[in-house]
Amino acid sequence: MPMTSDAAMARRRSRGQKALKAYEQTAFPSEPSLLQHDGRYAQALLGALMCDLEHYARSQRIDFSAAVTTGHAINLEESAEAYKIGDQVRLDRHEGRCGTIIGWHTADQTCFLIDVPGLPTYAEPAAHLSPAPPFPQVNTSLGMVTRADQAECAYLQLTTRPPLPLMPSELDGERRALLTSLSAWSGVPETRLLQELAPAAPQRPLAAGSAIADFPHDIGTGIPPSPGSTRTSCQPSPRSGPTQSA
């Protein structure tokens, strides 16, 4: 995917800001600017500018709708080029949650695949993404964690293969700090993260006698019962489903 430079994108934003500010000064020549202080005001002012531009276009017999469609298409293309795999982004349409770009797919438009900690993968166009704030760094026994994907990996490693010299209280503190940072950054509650990031409990092997109970009666013929078993029939026994450790 080709990349539009950050400098080029910054220049485009700057030109747009100057155009809107000039329009504000023309519409309200004796009033102080409110563009940097009130988002609803800025949106209303932009709408007024678009309205006036459409009036101008009609007077000049310019196809305003075609111009807007072309500009929007160019914007989508350039916005898509501004992101790459590994970028941390905010999902503007999903409660401001944050995640990491892990890929993209292209149909009518490019949609980025966003890995949000503890949630299913999102697919969002670049127009509905914005740069995420920096991840709250966490100093762990595995090293300094500076990204969300690193935090998830570190949490899993501390849960399944913790460093041997680490005391239980230290281990718990590091895991808790990672969950706190992941939750604060991603917008996903800690309880959800704790549930989703917990490794599944390993399945214990069943004894031969217990396994027979899960199959038709005749399959058990010739298989000796487990040591100490007093079961004489092969009726199915209730089994609990897989569990997750916290």
Side-chain angles (χ1 to χ4, degrees), residues 55-237:
H55 283 302
Y56 169 78
R58 284 181 178 177
S59 69
Q60 301 298 314
R61 297 184 178 181
I62 297 172
D63 190 335
F64 181 78
S65 295
V68 170
T69 299
T70 299
H72 183 60
I74 295 173
N75 178 269
L76 288 178
E77 182 179 346
E78 291 184 346
S79 296
E81 292 173 356
Y83 294 112
K84 63 183 182 300
I85 292 177
D87 284 350
Q88 298 186 138
V89 294
R90 185 188 297 277
L91 289 81
D92 298 330
R93 295 195 298 184
H94 298 280
E95 302 174 343
R97 287 174 173 156
C98 295
T100 305
I101 294 178
I102 59 174
W104 68 81
H105 64 76
T106 302
D108 296 333
Q109 61 178 327
T110 298
C111 283
F112 289 94
L113 304 178
I114 316 297
D115 177 33
V116 177
L119 296 179
T121 300
Y122 288 88
E124 285 289 294
H128 297 295
L129 299 176
S130 57
F135 183 81
Q137 297 184 2
V138 182
N139 191 13
T140 73
S141 55
L142 302 174
M144 181 66 72
V145 174
T146 61
R147 295 174 50 85
D149 47 3
Q150 293 175 346
E152 290 187 78
C153 291
Y155 181 88
L156 291 175
Q157 184 170 344
L158 289 171
T159 301
T160 59
R161 302 186 306 277
L164 292 178
L166 209 60
M167 298 294 293
S169 59
E170 296 173 323
L171 175 63
D172 185 61
E174 290 190 6
R175 293 173 66 230
R176 188 164 51 248
L178 288 168
L179 278 182
T180 299
S181 288
L182 276 170
S183 178
W185 181 81
S186 67
V188 179
E190 285 190 39
T191 51
R192 178 67 182 269
L193 290 171
L194 185 62
Q195 176 184 1
E196 297 298 328
L197 296 182
Q203 296 296 316
R204 298 180 60 184
L206 297 176
S210 299
I212 294 171
D214 294 328
F215 291 91
H217 180 79
D218 59 357
I219 200 172
T221 304
I223 300 180
S226 300
S229 173
T230 59
R231 181 178 298 176
T232 57
S233 66
C234 296
Q235 298 299 321
S237 60

Side-chain angles (χ1 to χ4, degrees), residues 39-62:
R40 289 177 297 179
Y41 167 82
Q43 182 172 336
L45 189 67
L46 182 60
L49 172 58
M50 296 297 291
C51 177
D52 287 358
L53 286 173
E54 186 167 7
H55 283 302
Y56 169 78
R58 284 181 178 177
S59 69
Q60 301 298 314
R61 297 184 178 181
I62 297 172

